[in-house]
Each structure stands twice: as structure tokens, then as C-alpha cells.
Amino acid sequence: MTTPETEPSTPDAEDEFQRLSKQLLRTAKSAAARAAVQALLEERTVLKMPAVRQALILHTDDGEMAHFEGLAGHQYSLGLDKEQRCFLELVLSMLGFGVVTLAAAQNLDDQRLAITLRAILRLAGNEDLAVGRRL
């Protein structure tokens, strides 16, 4: 699930990703934005791409925050593969950006599908339903 455009995984890069994760969650202004940020953080490969971070992250006096409008405007020029782009389209749709049908879920692998389902549950304010594999 990694691409050549993804940053290398080093201890420093991982520390920076964790710091950024906490900051983006802290500055999310709505439940939908928190659900979208959490989905991107769980999926990791999309958010680790420098082009995505450049389009998404807005630097403010309070630190970095997710600017989904900027990301939505650049989603087709980020160098994402088909699954990553489909995942991002579904995440952005939770915030009202773009027109994507739920049929797009058929293009997701198991991991991204589970992340998307958990994000939809967060968006609905439901933390009680579990998403996982059947035994």
C-alpha cells in the first residue's frame, strides 16, 4: 500500500507523523472534520504523501490544521493511485465535497473499507458498532 511518493518511514518521520496527527485532530472544528482526519490518519499512505500534505495542511497562528477545501481542489493532481483516490473521494464526501456514490466502496481494499466504515460510524456519532472481520 506504499507508493514511491510516500515519505520513508524513519523514527523521525514517525515522530513527525504522530505530532501532526495530534495537531490535526486537536484543530478539527467539527465532528465531520474529526472523522475525516481520523480516517486519513488510520489509512496513512495518503497523508504521508508530500503533495497531499501540501494541499491539506494550512499553517495558522494555532499551528497546522486540515483545510479540506484546499485538498478537494487538488485531489486529481496529487499522484494518488486508484484506490487512494477512491478512498480520498469517500472521505471528502463526508464533508460535503464532490459527488461520489457509495458504489465507490467496491474499489477499496479490505483495510480502506474498514477505515471508511468506521469513519461513517464516527460521522453518525455511533461508537457502539464494531467494524471487523467475521469469524
Side-chain angles (χ1 to χ4, degrees):
M1 217 175 12
T2 61
T3 66
E5 303 294 323
T6 305
E7 277 189 350
S9 186
T10 64
D12 289 341
E14 185 59 30
D15 289 344
E16 174 59 22
F17 186 81
Q18 293 303 319
R19 185 205 60 77
L20 180 63
S21 299
K22 290 176 185 173
Q23 176 67 15
L24 293 179
L25 285 171
R26 187 182 67 77
T27 57
K29 296 187 184 246
S30 68
R34 276 189 298 281
V37 166
Q38 186 64 42
L40 289 173
L41 295 173
E42 285 181 42
E43 193 274 346
R44 296 179 77 92
T45 68
V46 171
L47 191 56
K48 283 192 170 188
M49 295 180 74
V52 171
R53 286 197 314 278
Q54 184 176 1
L56 173 68
I57 296 172
L58 182 66
H59 299 276
T60 69
D61 291 339
D62 293 331
E64 297 134 329
M65 65 180 292
H67 179 67
F68 287 103
E69 293 86 352
L71 184 59
H74 292 93
Q75 70 189 47
Y76 297 104
S77 62
L78 298 171
L80 302 174
D81 66 28
K82 182 180 177 180
E83 283 189 13
Q84 289 172 320
R85 190 173 48 257
C86 182
F87 174 78
L88 181 59
E89 288 170 349
L90 286 165
V91 169
L92 289 172
S93 74
M94 294 190 312
L95 296 156
F97 297 110
V99 177
V100 63
T101 65
L102 285 176
Q106 68 187 338
N107 297 318
L108 300 176
D109 61 18
D110 289 351
Q111 180 186 8
R112 287 186 180 111
L113 179 59
I115 291 167
T116 303
L117 292 172
R118 285 191 295 273
I120 291 169
L121 289 171
R122 281 188 205 100
L123 182 64
N126 186 332
E127 296 288 334
D128 296 333
L129 293 176
V131 175
R133 295 207 175 271
R134 289 187 204 180
L135 298 177

